[in-house]
Amino acid sequence: MPLSDTIPALLVLADGTTYRGWSFGATGTKIGEVVFNTGMTGYQEVLTDPSYCGQIVIFTYPELGNTGINMEDEESDRPLCAGAIARNICHRPSNWRSTQSLPDYLTHHQIPGIYGIDTRALTRKIRTVGAMNGGISTSLDEVELLEQVLAAPSMAGLNLARQVTTPKVYEWTDKTIPAWEFNSEYVVNNTEPLTVVALDFGIKRNILRRLASYGCRVIVVPLDTPVEEILKYNPDGIFLSNGPGDPAAVTQGITTAKALLESQKPIFGICMGHQIIGHALGAETYKLKFGHRGLNQPAGLQQKIEITSQNHSFAIDPDSLPAGVVEVSHLNLNDGTVAGLRHQSLPIFSVQYHPEASPGPHDGDYLFQEFVQAMQKSKFI
């Protein structure tokens, strides 16, 4: 794009730090929590991941948009982040699947972006000081933008899951396409598919594809669905999805999870679902300094390590876990935070990472197999 066609943009953080760059995507003003993602690929999956609702994402990879946009890589029906920050932007993508450029895509969905700033320095600042609110604008000056940033609520205490949950019940049937299937050795041959009810706090489509690929009939329900309605489907298992915001604020989801624990059905939770299970068992969560967001987070326990994709701001306090009821199955090996839980007597487990990760890695995909095996065991006891 010729420099004469570019529109100046401003990024202001809550501490008053200002960055000047150029606009890509929509013009106007958006406020959100500024966080960084260290993945070298998968920008479209990040932008459309409902867990990023309310956040402005710094992409640490130096150029964004090379492969454009395609409909197959969407994790939801639209981008849900508040904004995007990049060092450089590619306006002319080159990929056989591309149908649209990244700037055009964000413009269409009214998501602003800023590029041309030192994303290394910005990431180091967030890593040192911690995630904070910020704003991107093409129309306000520094003082006006800072006023809006300071007026915005903190991520702690926000129930954003209610903004991204499905408004109605639907059934998901699409599987991972054969060209992308990475665990074809495990095929479920059930005359009657196992029924999974997925409680939607902001679910990613690839989670649904993996459940379908493992032979499950998947029914997705809003997070405010009464327990009685969930159990009317006679599910073989319950899935609690990922989602944005503070898990402690999703009180209705926690109450539902507590009641579902009493059914003693197999339950599997990912990210927000993991935290909701923790709260339902009596544990507490706390906000991390800058969270975990990237495709290379090591997680494990007892000499086994998985490289995982993670995206979360909160973690479970290990000291608040009920003794003798639940055990820690995984730790984040960068900082020792809880990355997995397993109930000691019931078929209930969860992880604070994405085993379904698209584009990857796929080290944790075996957890879907474990969920299926737990449902089969429970169904035929």
Side-chain angles (χ1 to χ4, degrees):
M1 174 180 289
L3 190 61
S4 59
D5 294 337
T6 56
I7 299 172
L10 196 64
L11 168 67
V12 173
L13 302 182
D15 66 356
T17 306
T18 300
Y19 299 83
R20 296 184 180 277
W22 305 101
S23 170
F24 75 99
T27 55
T29 302
K30 278 288 181 71
I31 311 297
E33 183 184 49
V34 180
V35 299
F36 62 86
N37 183 291
T38 59
M40 295 179 68
T41 60
Y43 58 82
Q44 184 177 342
E45 290 89 338
V46 168
L47 294 168
T48 56
D49 180 351
S51 294
Y52 281 102
C53 177
Q55 294 178 322
I56 297 173
V57 185
I58 310 163
F59 290 90
T60 61
Y61 190 70
E63 187 165 59
L64 220 59
N66 306 62
T67 55
I69 296 293
N70 67 83
M71 294 304 101
E72 290 84 4
D73 289 345
E74 302 274 74
E75 288 290 1
S76 60
D77 61 3
R78 66 191 189 282
L80 288 158
C81 63
I85 302 170
R87 178 68 183 92
N88 295 314
I89 288 295
C90 175
H91 291 272
R92 295 183 178 179
S94 176
N95 185 274
W96 64 277
R97 293 195 301 147
S98 176
T99 59
Q100 191 177 27
S101 74
L102 174 60
D104 288 346
Y105 175 73
L106 292 183
T107 299
H108 175 74
H109 290 285
Q110 293 299 299
I111 305 293
I114 182 172
Y115 75 99
I117 69 173
D118 188 344
T119 50
R120 295 171 300 176
L122 177 56
T123 299
R124 287 170 67 97
K125 179 180 181 63
I126 296 298
R127 190 180 66 187
T128 302
V129 179
M132 67 181 80
N133 284 344
I136 297 174
S137 183
T138 58
S139 56
L140 302 179
D141 62 27
E142 296 175 40
V143 175
E144 294 170 324
L145 185 54
L146 180 59
E147 287 178 355
Q148 290 198 19
V149 169
L150 294 177
S154 167
M155 185 63 69
L158 280 185
N159 182 355
L160 295 176
R162 63 188 176 190
Q163 295 184 23
V164 297
T165 188
T166 177
K168 61 182 180 180
V169 177
Y170 66 94
E171 187 167 337
W172 180 275
T173 58
D174 291 348
K175 301 178 181 180
T176 303
I177 64 173
W180 295 349
E181 181 55 66
F182 43 84
N183 193 14
S184 56
E185 295 178 1
Y186 187 84
V187 178
V188 180
N189 292 312
N190 294 313
T191 53
E192 293 186 14
L194 296 166
T195 299
V196 173
V197 172
L199 201 58
D200 180 12
F201 300 108
I203 199 164
K204 292 171 64 181
R205 287 177 174 174
N206 213 47
I207 291 175
L208 299 173
R209 293 189 192 101
R210 296 313 293 152
L211 288 169
S213 294
Y214 276 93
C216 300
R217 177 194 177 210
V218 186
I219 301 167
V220 185
V221 301
L223 68 81
D224 59 356
T225 304
V227 174
E228 297 76 14
E229 291 297 317
I230 293 173
L231 296 179
K232 279 183 181 179
Y233 292 104
N234 192 26
D236 298 298
I238 308 292
F239 178 80
L240 305 183
S241 85
N242 62 294
D246 187 343
V250 191
T251 53
Q252 192 164 10
I254 295 170
T255 300
T256 299
K258 283 181 181 179
L260 289 171
L261 292 177
E262 297 178 3
S263 73
Q264 299 191 2
K265 292 179 178 290
I267 300 177
F268 179 25
I270 289 177
C271 288
M272 171 73 79
H274 160 81
Q275 297 159 350
I276 293 290
I277 287 175
H279 276 287
L281 291 169
E284 297 178 355
T285 53
Y286 64 96
K287 195 173 190 299
L288 296 166
K289 185 176 182 180
F290 49 80
H292 303 146
R293 294 175 185 84
L295 311 180
N296 58 351
Q297 300 276 335
L301 202 63
Q302 298 177 344
Q303 300 181 332
K304 183 176 181 180
I305 298 174
E306 301 166 32
I307 302 303
T308 69
S309 175
Q310 300 195 13
N311 167 27
H312 56 101
S313 298
F314 295 81
I316 290 176
D317 179 359
D319 295 330
S320 67
L321 291 168
V325 176
V326 64
E327 62 185 7
V328 175
S329 61
H330 298 73
L331 294 174
N332 182 302
L333 298 178
N334 282 334
D335 61 8
T337 53
V338 175
L341 295 177
R342 190 172 294 273
H343 199 284
Q344 293 185 348
S345 59
L346 298 175
I348 298 168
F349 63 99
S350 60
V351 288
Q352 186 66 84
Y353 57 85
H354 285 276
E356 88 297 340
S358 178
H362 303 139
D363 296 22
D365 188 71
Y366 70 91
L367 292 164
F368 290 99
Q369 182 174 330
E370 288 193 2
F371 185 41
V372 167
Q373 290 170 340
M375 289 189 287
Q376 290 172 329
K377 182 178 179 180
S378 178
K379 185 180 182 75
F380 299 111
I381 285 179

